[in-house]
Amino acid sequence: MNSPFRNLVLTFLILLSLSEKAEAQKKFKFGKIPIKDMEMTVYEPDPSAAAVVLLSTGHYRVRDYKFYKHERIKILKQSGTDYGNFTIRVPSKGNFRASCFNLENGEIVEYKLKKSEVYVEELTEDIILYKLFLPNVKVGSVVEIEYSHFSLPFEWLFQRRIPVKYNELLVEKSQYFIFDLSFFGSVPLKRLSGYHWIAQDVPAFKPEPLIDHHSNYISKIEFELSQISIPGVFYREYSTTWEKVSRTLTDNIYFGGLFRTGGLYLNEKAKEILATDSGDMSKVLSAIAYIKENIEWNGSESPYMTQMYRTNFKKDHSGNVAEVNLHLVSLLKKMEMEAYPVVLSTRDNGRLKKFKPSINKLNYIVCAVKVGEDMMLIDAAEKNLKPGVLHPKCLNGDGWVVNEKSGWWIPLEPNEVTMEKGFTQIDVSNEGIVTAKIKKSMNTYDYLRWKDNFDEFEDESKYTRWLQDRFDDIVIEDFKLTFDEDKMVASEVYDLDISSVSENLGDEYIINPFILSLDLENPFKAEERNAPVDLNYKSGMIHNILINVPDGYTISSIPEPISIATEGENAIFNFQAFASKSTVSINYQMVIKNPVIPASQYSIFKTFYSLMIDKLNESISLSKVL
C-alpha cells in the first residue's frame, strides 16, 4: 500500500493494540534449550540430515495485527552451517532477535546477533528483505530466531530440505484484514481448530532431477491479502481480480509512477531515436542499447522499483530488474510504440494461477512491445539475451500484461523448438588410426546454456582444456570456436583422434560413431516419481554422421533403424542408418515438443529415454576383405 495509507492503518492498529492485554505465555521460550538438543549429534529419524528444525511456530494475532515467528535449528554437519544464516522477506519492518548457542565445557554459551550482522533492504514499501548472519555457528550449534511484523507473512513452510521435528501455525481471523490461503505439498497436517495446524516429524524434501524448483513442491501455505476494510478509517482491495492487481500496480509510484511524471529525463532520447531510426525493430534495438548503457541489473528481482530509481539510472547506473525494464517500457512509450510491463513469477517462485490473483506471487518483470503485428517480450536486464528471448528462469506459464486499469495473459514459453545440430565425419586409416571431424551448432537456449558454461573460463584455451578433460581418452588435435552474442548462436569444430574408443581387432574395426553422445545417460533412475519432469523449454537435436570405409574393408554390421514416440508424440526419436560400398550414413533426430511431462507419464518417458540412449551406444563393424 502507498505510504500515507499504510501509516494510517499502522497507527490505527498500534492504538488498538495498546488496549489489549500482554501476550499470553508461549509454549516455547527463546533461549530455553533442552540439554539433549545441545548434545544431539545425529537426528535419529534421518541420520543423513545436515541440520534439523527443532521447532518452528507462527502466530498471527488480531489484537495487534502482528505475526510472530519463533524458530530453532540444530546444526549437525559442516554442510548445515549455512542454516545459521537467514534471508527473510516480510511485508513490513519487524523486530528481530537471534542467537547462536554452543555447548562449551558443559555449559550452554549464548552468542547474540549484533546489529552489524543484520542487512536490511527495503525492496518496496511493502517488501522488506532481512539477511541475518549469526556468529560462531559450527557443528553442534543450536541457532534460534524470533521476529514479528505487521500483517501476515507471504508464506509458511511446513517442510524444508532438512527434517522438521515440530511445526505449528495459528492464524486468528480478522474482521478488518481479508486474506486467501493456498495449500501446497503432501505432508499431513493436524488441524486443531479454525486456522490452526500442527505438523510433526516432517521428513526432509528430497528434490527429484529435472524439476522446476523444490520450493514449488514442499508443503506450505501461501497467504494473499485481498482486502483491508476498517470502517471509517481505510478501505482497499488488492488482488481480488487480476484487473485489480493491475490497478494496484499502476497506482504504486514505484511501478506506474515512471509512466506518469517520473521519466521526463527519457524525453530527449526518445525524440532522438524517433528522428534517426526507421522501422519498429530498429527503434527497439536503439532503445535497448540506451537502457543498457545507463543502467545495469544488480541481480535484485522485484516487480517494483526502489525509491532511488532516478539516481540509479542517471548516476549510479545500477538497479533492480524493475528499474531496468520499466525504464525500457517508459522509453518505448515515449517513442510512440505500444509497450507494456509484463509481471510474472520465475520458476523458483511457482506459477501464477489465473483463478488466484496474487501480488505477492509476482517477483519479476519484463517488457512487451508490439513489433509489426506481434508482441515481443524483452528482458533488458539479462546480458546474453536478444529481443524476443527470455531467460529460462522466466519460462513459467503465462505472464500478466499490465495495461493501466486492466490487462491480459501472455505466454512466456516460446513456440519454436531449440535444436542442437551436429555433423560428424569419421575416417579410418590403413594404419589403424580413427579420426573424427565434428561440427556442433547451438542457438537460443542451447546457446545460453553453453555461454553460461563458457563464461566460467577466463579464455578459450582454458575452455579447450576443460573439453579435453571431458573427452577423457579422446585427443583433441584441433578446436575452433565461433559465436555471435547478438544472434545467440555458437558453433564448435573439433578434430579428434578417437582411436581410443574404437577397437582394432586386426581384421575388424568396431567403431562407436556417437562421439557427441558418449556422456549421455538417463537421468531418470527412480522407479516412480511424484513431481512432473520439467525440461524448461522445447528442445531437440539433429545429428548426421558419415563414416568413410577404408580400402580393403567392408561393412559387416550397422544399427537397426528405430522410431519411438511418447503419448501424444510429445517426445519423438527417429534413427536411421544406411550403408553403401564405401560409406555408412547415420541420421537421428530427437524432439521434445512438450517440456513438462506429467508424473503419470513418467514411466513412459523413462522408457523412451532408455531406448534412445541404448540406440546411441550401439557400434558399427567393419571387416577386412579376405
Side-chain angles (χ1 to χ4, degrees):
M1 71 184 78
N2 291 333
S3 183
F5 295 112
R6 183 177 70 168
N7 292 338
L8 180 64
V9 174
L10 294 185
T11 300
F12 171 80
L13 296 176
I14 291 169
L15 292 173
L16 182 67
S17 69
L18 293 177
S19 63
E20 298 292 343
K21 296 179 181 179
E23 184 181 359
Q25 188 77 6
K26 293 188 298 183
K27 185 181 299 185
F28 304 102
K29 289 187 176 181
F30 186 93
K32 299 297 183 181
I33 304 170
I35 191 66
K36 63 180 177 61
D37 289 341
M38 295 300 307
E39 294 175 342
M40 181 193 301
T41 58
V42 174
Y43 183 58
E44 293 298 338
D46 183 359
S48 67
V52 56
V53 179
L54 297 173
L55 64 92
S56 183
T57 62
H59 183 190
Y60 177 60
R61 213 171 57 171
V62 297
R63 72 175 63 172
D64 53 5
Y65 292 90
K66 292 178 74 174
F67 184 79
Y68 296 85
K69 180 171 182 178
H70 180 197
E71 186 162 284
R72 184 181 293 164
I73 301 175
K74 173 70 179 185
I75 310 300
L76 298 169
K77 297 181 180 180
Q78 186 61 38
S79 59
T81 55
D82 286 344
Y83 287 95
N85 303 327
F86 295 85
T87 299
I88 303 166
R89 194 172 66 104
V90 292
S92 63
K93 288 186 177 180
N95 297 314
F96 285 80
R97 68 167 168 169
S99 293
C100 172
F101 298 89
N102 289 324
L103 195 60
E104 299 177 3
N105 299 320
E107 299 290 331
I108 299 176
V109 180
E110 179 180 6
Y111 296 92
K112 295 182 179 180
L113 180 76
K114 300 176 182 177
K115 287 186 178 180
S116 60
E117 294 160 334
V118 179
Y119 171 79
V120 185
E121 181 180 358
E122 189 167 354
L123 300 178
T124 71
E125 291 179 343
D126 300 318
I127 302 178
I128 315 296
L129 188 71
Y130 287 91
K131 293 183 179 180
L132 289 70
F133 304 93
L134 271 64
N136 298 319
V137 177
K138 57 187 178 181
V139 175
S141 297
V142 170
V143 295
E144 193 164 24
I145 183 171
E146 253 188 359
Y147 62 86
S148 63
H149 56 77
F150 281 105
S151 191
L152 286 159
F154 297 116
E155 64 180 10
W156 179 263
L157 303 180
F158 287 102
Q159 189 177 32
R160 309 286 183 84
R161 296 189 69 175
I162 56 175
V164 179
K165 188 175 181 181
Y166 183 86
N167 192 305
E168 181 176 359
L169 175 65
L170 171 60
V171 179
E172 298 178 12
K173 281 192 174 183
S174 167
Q175 59 179 318
Y176 303 117
F177 283 60
I178 309 301
F179 56 85
D180 292 322
L181 303 177
S182 297
F183 289 83
F184 298 84
S186 57
V187 168
L189 304 178
K190 181 180 179 182
R191 188 167 186 170
L192 301 183
S193 63
Y195 293 162
H196 191 181
W197 301 272
I198 289 178
Q200 293 179 276
D201 301 322
V202 180
F205 178 80
K206 304 293 185 183
E208 296 176 298
L210 296 174
I211 62 174
D212 44 4
H213 195 264
H214 72 273
S215 64
N216 297 326
Y217 302 96
I218 61 175
S219 294
K220 63 181 178 179
I221 292 177
E222 290 184 352
F223 298 92
E224 183 70 34
L225 181 63
S226 58
Q227 185 183 109
I228 297 178
S229 179
I230 305 173
V233 178
F234 181 80
Y235 177 82
R236 171 171 284 191
E237 291 182 346
Y238 288 90
S239 52
T240 53
T241 67
W242 280 106
E243 287 71 24
K244 286 188 173 66
V245 169
S246 287
R247 295 189 197 113
T248 301
L249 291 172
T250 52
D251 287 346
N252 191 302
I253 189 173
Y254 300 115
F255 187 99
L258 194 57
F259 309 132
R260 296 192 288 270
T261 59
L264 297 178
Y265 47 88
L266 299 173
N267 289 350
E268 288 302 315
K269 190 62 183 182
K271 292 177 183 178
E272 177 188 326
I273 294 175
L274 281 171
T276 57
D277 286 82
S278 61
D280 289 347
M281 199 62 224
S282 177
K283 294 175 186 176
V284 168
L285 292 173
S286 294
I288 294 171
Y290 179 73
I291 295 300
K292 288 188 173 183
E293 287 169 6
N294 284 274
I295 187 165
E296 183 178 353
W297 182 39
N298 61 16
S300 178
E301 297 179 354
S302 172
Y304 298 100
M305 301 180 294
T306 65
Q307 296 176 351
M308 302 296 291
Y309 71 87
R310 293 180 184 86
T311 301
N312 289 344
F313 186 87
K314 298 170 68 175
K315 183 179 178 181
D316 295 341
H317 306 298
S318 176
N320 69 17
V321 67
E323 290 166 349
V324 176
N325 285 322
L326 286 176
H327 272 101
L328 176 60
V329 174
S330 181
L331 178 57
L332 291 169
K333 284 179 175 288
K334 292 175 183 293
M335 290 162 47
E336 302 173 1
M337 298 194 72
E338 188 178 343
Y340 308 94
V342 179
V343 289
L344 57 94
S345 174
T346 54
R347 288 168 61 82
D348 61 355
N349 195 52
R351 289 200 174 200
L352 298 182
K353 297 179 175 62
K354 296 181 180 181
F355 61 87
K356 196 83 168 178
S358 174
I359 290 180
N360 294 341
K361 200 69 177 173
L362 307 174
N363 72 326
Y364 205 83
I365 183 170
V366 297
C367 166
V369 59
K370 192 170 186 180
V371 178
E373 297 300 318
D374 300 319
M375 293 300 296
M376 175 179 286
L377 295 175
I378 301 170
D379 184 359
E382 287 283 354
K383 291 182 180 179
N384 295 326
L385 300 180
K386 65 181 181 181
V389 177
L390 298 182
H391 192 277
K393 69 185 176 187
C394 294
L395 306 183
N396 196 34
D398 294 338
W400 178 252
V401 181
V402 179
N403 181 20
E404 295 182 0
K405 305 300 183 182
S406 61
W408 64 89
W409 294 101
I410 187 169
L412 300 171
E413 297 160 355
N415 287 323
E416 65 270 14
V417 178
T418 296
M419 297 294 291
E420 177 186 286
K421 297 180 181 179
F423 174 77
T424 301
Q425 178 176 314
I426 296 175
D427 292 288
V428 184
S429 73
N430 290 326
E431 291 78 26
I433 297 174
V434 184
T435 59
K437 190 177 191 69
I438 300 176
K439 181 176 181 180
K440 180 173 70 170
S441 61
M442 299 149 286
N443 61 44
T444 319
Y445 291 112
D446 283 341
Y447 164 84
L448 274 182
R449 188 176 59 215
W450 169 85
K451 189 68 166 57
D452 286 343
N453 183 49
F454 179 77
D455 287 345
E456 294 181 7
F457 302 91
E458 295 178 5
D459 53 43
E460 187 176 321
S461 62
K462 291 185 177 180
Y463 176 71
T464 306
R465 286 197 294 272
W466 172 81
L467 284 173
Q468 179 63 78
D469 292 340
R470 180 170 172 261
F471 276 122
D472 201 13
D473 293 334
I474 296 175
V475 178
I476 299 179
E477 297 182 330
D478 191 27
F479 174 72
K480 294 177 182 178
L481 167 67
T482 59
F483 62 93
D484 188 320
E485 292 184 343
D486 293 332
K487 295 180 180 179
M488 294 179 65
V489 294
S491 67
E492 296 178 337
V493 179
Y494 310 84
D495 285 334
L496 305 174
D497 184 333
I498 63 170
S499 303
S500 60
V501 294
S502 305
E503 293 185 68
N504 184 354
L505 304 179
D507 57 356
E508 184 181 16
Y509 283 110
I510 298 176
I511 300 171
N512 184 339
F514 307 106
I515 309 302
L516 293 179
S517 302
L518 286 179
D519 59 350
L520 189 65
E521 63 177 43
N522 194 341
F524 313 113
K525 297 179 172 61
E527 291 299 320
E528 297 180 349
R529 187 179 174 103
N530 296 317
V533 175
D534 195 322
L535 302 174
N536 203 175
Y537 50 86
K538 300 175 183 178
S539 61
M541 57 183 179
I542 300 175
H543 285 192
N544 296 313
I545 301 171
L546 179 66
I547 304 168
N548 292 314
V549 179
D551 293 338
Y553 282 81
T554 186
I555 303 162
S556 53
S557 69
I558 61 173
E560 293 290 327
I562 189 176
S563 182
I564 54 176
T566 62
E567 184 177 338
E569 295 192 340
N570 287 324
I572 301 171
F573 177 68
N574 291 315
F575 179 99
Q576 292 180 313
F578 307 93
S580 66
K581 183 178 179 181
S582 59
T583 61
V584 175
S585 178
I586 297 173
N587 307 307
Y588 64 91
Q589 176 179 354
M590 185 272 288
V591 177
I592 297 177
K593 296 187 290 184
N594 185 354
V596 180
I597 313 299
S600 60
Q601 296 182 21
Y602 169 71
S603 60
I604 297 174
F605 193 69
K606 178 185 176 183
T607 301
F608 169 88
Y609 235 82
S610 295
L611 291 172
M612 179 180 70
I613 291 172
D614 288 346
K615 180 56 64 173
L616 297 181
N617 276 317
E618 293 185 11
S619 301
I620 68 166
S621 178
L622 307 179
S623 299
K624 182 177 288 188
V625 178
L626 300 177

PDB file of all heavy atoms in Angstrom, residues 5 143 152 280 283 377 430 479 487 508 529:
ATOM      1  N   PHE A   5      -1.346   5.840   3.342  1.00  0.00           N
ATOM      2  CA  PHE A   5      -2.379   4.892   3.757  1.00  0.00           C
ATOM      3  C   PHE A   5      -1.818   3.861   4.719  1.00  0.00           C
ATOM      4  O   PHE A   5      -2.444   3.500   5.708  1.00  0.00           O
ATOM      5  CB  PHE A   5      -2.985   4.195   2.535  1.00  0.00           C
ATOM      6  CG  PHE A   5      -3.720   5.132   1.628  1.00  0.00           C
ATOM      7  CD1 PHE A   5      -3.233   5.409   0.368  1.00  0.00           C
ATOM      8  CD2 PHE A   5      -4.885   5.757   2.044  1.00  0.00           C
ATOM      9  CE1 PHE A   5      -3.901   6.282  -0.468  1.00  0.00           C
ATOM     10  CE2 PHE A   5      -5.558   6.629   1.203  1.00  0.00           C
ATOM     11  CZ  PHE A   5      -5.064   6.895  -0.055  1.00  0.00           C
ATOM     12  N   VAL A 143      20.874 -22.719  16.620  1.00  0.00           N
ATOM     13  CA  VAL A 143      20.604 -21.323  16.282  1.00  0.00           C
ATOM     14  C   VAL A 143      19.118 -21.068  16.493  1.00  0.00           C
ATOM     15  O   VAL A 143      18.279 -21.939  16.246  1.00  0.00           O
ATOM     16  CB  VAL A 143      21.029 -20.978  14.845  1.00  0.00           C
ATOM     17  CG1 VAL A 143      22.523 -21.099  14.691  1.00  0.00           C
ATOM     18  CG2 VAL A 143      20.334 -21.864  13.825  1.00  0.00           C
ATOM     19  N   LEU A 152       0.253 -10.504   7.717  1.00  0.00           N
ATOM     20  CA  LEU A 152       0.617 -11.905   7.541  1.00  0.00           C
ATOM     21  C   LEU A 152       1.912 -12.045   6.765  1.00  0.00           C
ATOM     22  O   LEU A 152       2.286 -11.148   5.998  1.00  0.00           O
ATOM     23  CB  LEU A 152      -0.501 -12.632   6.776  1.00  0.00           C
ATOM     24  CG  LEU A 152      -1.771 -12.933   7.564  1.00  0.00           C
ATOM     25  CD1 LEU A 152      -2.933 -13.149   6.622  1.00  0.00           C
ATOM     26  CD2 LEU A 152      -1.559 -14.169   8.426  1.00  0.00           C
ATOM     27  N   ASP A 280      10.194  -0.553 -36.779  1.00  0.00           N
ATOM     28  CA  ASP A 280       9.960  -0.900 -35.373  1.00  0.00           C
ATOM     29  C   ASP A 280      11.169  -1.563 -34.734  1.00  0.00           C
ATOM     30  O   ASP A 280      11.571  -1.219 -33.615  1.00  0.00           O
ATOM     31  CB  ASP A 280       8.748  -1.830 -35.261  1.00  0.00           C
ATOM     32  CG  ASP A 280       7.441  -1.114 -35.549  1.00  0.00           C
ATOM     33  OD1 ASP A 280       7.459   0.134 -35.592  1.00  0.00           O
ATOM     34  OD2 ASP A 280       6.408  -1.797 -35.719  1.00  0.00           O
ATOM     35  N   LYS A 283      14.078   0.761 -33.928  1.00  0.00           N
ATOM     36  CA  LYS A 283      13.787   1.602 -32.762  1.00  0.00           C
ATOM     37  C   LYS A 283      13.955   0.809 -31.464  1.00  0.00           C
ATOM     38  O   LYS A 283      14.515   1.314 -30.484  1.00  0.00           O
ATOM     39  CB  LYS A 283      12.362   2.147 -32.859  1.00  0.00           C
ATOM     40  CG  LYS A 283      12.129   3.102 -34.005  1.00  0.00           C
ATOM     41  CD  LYS A 283      10.644   3.489 -34.073  1.00  0.00           C
ATOM     42  CE  LYS A 283      10.356   4.335 -35.298  1.00  0.00           C
ATOM     43  NZ  LYS A 283       8.913   4.637 -35.436  1.00  0.00           N
ATOM     44  N   LEU A 377       8.516 -10.066 -26.365  1.00  0.00           N
ATOM     45  CA  LEU A 377       8.936  -9.967 -24.974  1.00  0.00           C
ATOM     46  C   LEU A 377      10.431  -9.696 -24.911  1.00  0.00           C
ATOM     47  O   LEU A 377      11.220 -10.333 -25.612  1.00  0.00           O
ATOM     48  CB  LEU A 377       8.599 -11.255 -24.227  1.00  0.00           C
ATOM     49  CG  LEU A 377       7.111 -11.573 -24.090  1.00  0.00           C
ATOM     50  CD1 LEU A 377       6.909 -12.938 -23.431  1.00  0.00           C
ATOM     51  CD2 LEU A 377       6.396 -10.492 -23.288  1.00  0.00           C
ATOM     52  N   ASN A 430      44.667 -46.815 -42.983  1.00  0.00           N
ATOM     53  CA  ASN A 430      45.202 -48.173 -43.097  1.00  0.00           C
ATOM     54  C   ASN A 430      46.150 -48.511 -41.954  1.00  0.00           C
ATOM     55  O   ASN A 430      46.450 -49.675 -41.700  1.00  0.00           O
ATOM     56  CB  ASN A 430      45.921 -48.340 -44.440  1.00  0.00           C
ATOM     57  CG  ASN A 430      44.935 -48.335 -45.605  1.00  0.00           C
ATOM     58  OD1 ASN A 430      43.813 -48.825 -45.461  1.00  0.00           O
ATOM     59  ND2 ASN A 430      45.349 -47.776 -46.736  1.00  0.00           N
ATOM     60  N   PHE A 479      40.793 -27.372 -32.458  1.00  0.00           N
ATOM     61  CA  PHE A 479      39.483 -26.907 -31.977  1.00  0.00           C
ATOM     62  C   PHE A 479      39.274 -25.468 -32.430  1.00  0.00           C
ATOM     63  O   PHE A 479      40.167 -24.622 -32.299  1.00  0.00           O
ATOM     64  CB  PHE A 479      39.416 -26.990 -30.448  1.00  0.00           C
ATOM     65  CG  PHE A 479      38.163 -26.390 -29.861  1.00  0.00           C
ATOM     66  CD1 PHE A 479      36.948 -27.033 -29.999  1.00  0.00           C
ATOM     67  CD2 PHE A 479      38.205 -25.180 -29.181  1.00  0.00           C
ATOM     68  CE1 PHE A 479      35.786 -26.475 -29.468  1.00  0.00           C
ATOM     69  CE2 PHE A 479      37.060 -24.624 -28.635  1.00  0.00           C
ATOM     70  CZ  PHE A 479      35.851 -25.274 -28.784  1.00  0.00           C
ATOM     71  N   LYS A 487      23.126 -12.597 -32.005  1.00  0.00           N
ATOM     72  CA  LYS A 487      22.220 -13.561 -32.632  1.00  0.00           C
ATOM     73  C   LYS A 487      21.989 -14.794 -31.759  1.00  0.00           C
ATOM     74  O   LYS A 487      21.132 -15.620 -32.062  1.00  0.00           O
ATOM     75  CB  LYS A 487      22.766 -13.997 -33.989  1.00  0.00           C
ATOM     76  CG  LYS A 487      22.817 -12.869 -35.014  1.00  0.00           C
ATOM     77  CD  LYS A 487      23.359 -13.366 -36.348  1.00  0.00           C
ATOM     78  CE  LYS A 487      23.411 -12.238 -37.370  1.00  0.00           C
ATOM     79  NZ  LYS A 487      23.955 -12.691 -38.673  1.00  0.00           N
ATOM     80  N   GLU A 508      39.148 -56.557 -38.107  1.00  0.00           N
ATOM     81  CA  GLU A 508      37.832 -55.944 -37.864  1.00  0.00           C
ATOM     82  C   GLU A 508      38.007 -54.660 -37.047  1.00  0.00           C
ATOM     83  O   GLU A 508      38.815 -54.590 -36.124  1.00  0.00           O
ATOM     84  CB  GLU A 508      36.914 -56.918 -37.111  1.00  0.00           C
ATOM     85  CG  GLU A 508      35.505 -56.391 -36.901  1.00  0.00           C
ATOM     86  CD  GLU A 508      34.625 -57.375 -36.127  1.00  0.00           C
ATOM     87  OE1 GLU A 508      35.208 -58.303 -35.497  1.00  0.00           O
ATOM     88  OE2 GLU A 508      33.394 -57.205 -36.131  1.00  0.00           O
ATOM     89  N   ARG A 529       7.821 -41.551  -9.607  1.00  0.00           N
ATOM     90  CA  ARG A 529       8.090 -40.118  -9.487  1.00  0.00           C
ATOM     91  C   ARG A 529       6.803 -39.406  -9.080  1.00  0.00           C
ATOM     92  O   ARG A 529       5.728 -39.718  -9.590  1.00  0.00           O
ATOM     93  CB  ARG A 529       8.615 -39.570 -10.816  1.00  0.00           C
ATOM     94  CG  ARG A 529       9.074 -38.116 -10.754  1.00  0.00           C
ATOM     95  CD  ARG A 529       9.591 -37.680 -12.101  1.00  0.00           C
ATOM     96  NE  ARG A 529       9.899 -36.256 -12.118  1.00  0.00           N
ATOM     97  CZ  ARG A 529      11.118 -35.752 -12.047  1.00  0.00           C
ATOM     98  NH1 ARG A 529      12.152 -36.550 -11.957  1.00  0.00           N
ATOM     99  NH2 ARG A 529      11.306 -34.441 -12.078  1.00  0.00           N
TER     100      ARG A 529
END
